[in-house]
């Protein structure tokens, strides 16, 4: 009875914590993908990698509610049990592989700007994208080699993934990939800091003043924002995910509360899946299409409202009867003036009498 209550509580945690975050990630990724596709200026090699990442993040967001459920014991058939565990694992592995490729492309572009087009990552972009999907697929399908189904056992996480596979996946691919991305981000920030110092020296030599100029202040502020964003992404997004991975492995050998494991898994996987959204929203080019569309819609609405106001102002405010009277009086005065001016002076006197 206590086990059923625990499962119900875990299901409620998934419903209220993981599923809303999953819906947010899916809708946001669709929003950004359409913004890139409809913007012809973004149809380049680098943005192909980012489109692949957003698509992988969309699928990983759809699989978020399934990852905490992998710790449940369920009565499932052979193929259903295998797919229920392997498919979410593959989607999350492909998401991390695409994210690693995007960081590597950015790293190469900044570290070697003059020779970037000669690198394979630029010349063979399609090959790198295919590898970012096929390598996780092959690794995720490896448990099929030693997967042994027993009819008298329930479907569980331990039955599909053996311990050596989990250790290799966690400490051989997942955590090293996160550390590699952190290393590349630090290297990019160091290059930016070095360029900022060179620009500052050049500005001081030109202006010959000790006070920082407005351009220098803007560059320093931008560099500070970049450092803060990278630090925030690592602390808020990657640290919970690394904690989630280690606690998941500890739960296999030590008794950890299922509720704690479910909460940690929901928070850790959800925070990691939010990284591409943070990166894309930080780039104004990816949302330029939607901002232009919103500007056009607002301009059209404002223009229509102004036309209605002009039409309302152009209408006469006098009543209908008063308008007729005013028109009649005007026509009589014009007739009298015309008739008076057209007669000779001798006849005007007679007409007046």
């Amino acid at each position: 009875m206590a086990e059923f209550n625990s499962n119900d509580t875990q299901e409620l945690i998934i419903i209220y914590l993981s599923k809303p975050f999953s819906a947010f990630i899916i809708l946001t990724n669709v929003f950004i993908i359409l913004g890139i596709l409809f913007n012809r200026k973004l149809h380049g090699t680098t943005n192909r990698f980012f489109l692949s990442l957003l698509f992988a993040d969309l699928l990983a967001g759809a699989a978020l509610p399934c990852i905490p459920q992998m710790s449940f014991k369920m009565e499932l058939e052979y193929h259903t049990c295998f797919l229920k565990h392997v498919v979410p694992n593959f989607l999350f592995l492909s998401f991390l592989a695409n994210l690693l490729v995007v960081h590597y492309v950015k790293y190469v572009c900044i570290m070697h700007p003059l020779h970037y087009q000669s690198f394979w990552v630029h010349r063979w972009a399609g090959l790198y994208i295919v590898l970012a999907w096929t390598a996780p697929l092959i690794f995720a399908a490896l448990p099929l080699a030693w997967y042994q189904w027993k009819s008298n056992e329930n479907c569980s996480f331990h039955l599909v993934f053996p311990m050596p596979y989990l250790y290799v996946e966690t400490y051989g691919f997942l955590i090293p990939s996160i550390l590699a991305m952190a290393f590349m981000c630090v290297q990019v920030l160091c290059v930016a800091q070095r360029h900022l110092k060179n620009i500052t020296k050049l500005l001081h030599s030109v202006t010959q003043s000790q006070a920082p100029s407005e351009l220098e202040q803007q560059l320093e502020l931008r560099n500070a924002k970049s450092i803060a964003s990278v630090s925030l992404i690592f602390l808020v997004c990657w640290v919970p995910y690394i904690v989630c991975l280690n606690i998941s492995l500890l739960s296999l050998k030590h008794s950890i509360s299922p509720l704690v494991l479910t909460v940690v898994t929901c928070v850790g996987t959800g925070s990691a899946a939010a990284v591409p959204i943070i990166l894309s929203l930080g780039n104004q080019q990816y949302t330029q299409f939607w901002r232009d569309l919103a500007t056009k819609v607002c301009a059209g609405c404002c223009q229509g409202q102004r036309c209605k106001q002009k039409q309302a102002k152009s209408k006469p405010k006098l009543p209908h009867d008063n308008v007729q009277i005013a028109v009649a009086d005007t026509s009589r005065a014009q007739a009298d003036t015309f008739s008076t001016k057209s007669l000779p002076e001798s006849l005007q006197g007679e007409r007046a009498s």
Side-chain angles (χ1 to χ4, degrees), residues 133-315:
W133 288 92
T134 54
L137 178 61
I138 294 171
F139 187 81
L142 286 179
L144 186 62
W146 53 75
Y147 179 62
Q148 296 179 356
W149 176 258
K150 297 179 181 180
S151 58
N152 58 347
E153 289 186 1
N154 293 329
C155 177
S156 65
F157 183 79
H158 312 277
L159 187 63
V160 179
F161 300 111
M163 287 297 296
Y165 177 85
L166 294 175
Y167 277 108
V168 171
E169 181 183 27
T170 302
Y171 298 109
F173 178 72
L174 297 179
I175 295 180
S177 299
I178 296 171
L179 296 178
M181 288 185 283
F183 172 77
M184 287 186 282
C185 289
V186 171
Q187 290 294 314
V188 169
L189 290 176
C190 291
V191 172
Q193 185 70 26
R194 189 163 57 248
H195 288 328
L196 178 61
K197 290 182 179 179
N198 294 332
I199 294 172
T200 304
K201 291 180 181 178
L202 182 61
L203 290 175
H204 284 317
S205 63
V206 172
T207 58
Q208 295 181 356
S209 62
Q210 297 297 328
S213 62
E214 184 178 357
L215 177 60
E216 185 180 350
Q217 292 177 355
Q218 292 177 358
L219 292 174
E220 290 180 352
L221 179 61
R222 187 173 181 179
N223 186 49
K225 287 181 179 179
S226 300
I227 296 173
S229 62
V230 170
S231 304
L232 189 65
I233 288 173
F234 186 80
L235 292 175
V236 176
C237 298
W238 290 125
V239 170
Y241 183 62
I242 293 173
V243 172
C244 165
L245 293 175
N246 287 279
I247 289 179
S248 298
L249 288 178
L250 287 174
S251 65
L252 300 177
K253 292 185 176 181
H254 304 278
S255 59
I256 296 178
S257 174
L259 298 179
V260 174
L261 182 62
T262 303
V263 172
V264 170
T265 305
C266 292
V267 174
T269 54
S271 60
V275 173
I277 295 176
I278 297 173
L279 295 177
S280 56
L281 293 179
N283 191 342
Q284 295 183 356
Q285 292 181 346
Y286 295 145
T287 57
Q288 185 66 39
F289 170 77
W290 295 109
R291 286 188 284 112
D292 293 342
L293 183 62
T295 303
K296 290 180 181 179
V297 171
C298 292
C301 294
C302 293
Q303 188 175 3
Q305 189 175 3
R306 289 173 184 173
C307 291
K308 290 180 180 179
Q309 291 177 355
K310 288 181 180 179
Q311 290 177 359
K313 289 180 180 179
S314 62
K315 290 181 180 180

Side-chain angles (χ1 to χ4, degrees), residues 76-94:
L76 299 174
E77 297 180 354
Y78 172 80
H79 298 288
T80 307
C81 179
F82 183 78
L83 292 176
K84 188 173 181 62
H85 289 81
V86 170
V87 171
N89 189 38
F90 157 67
L91 294 178
F92 225 82
L93 287 173
S94 61

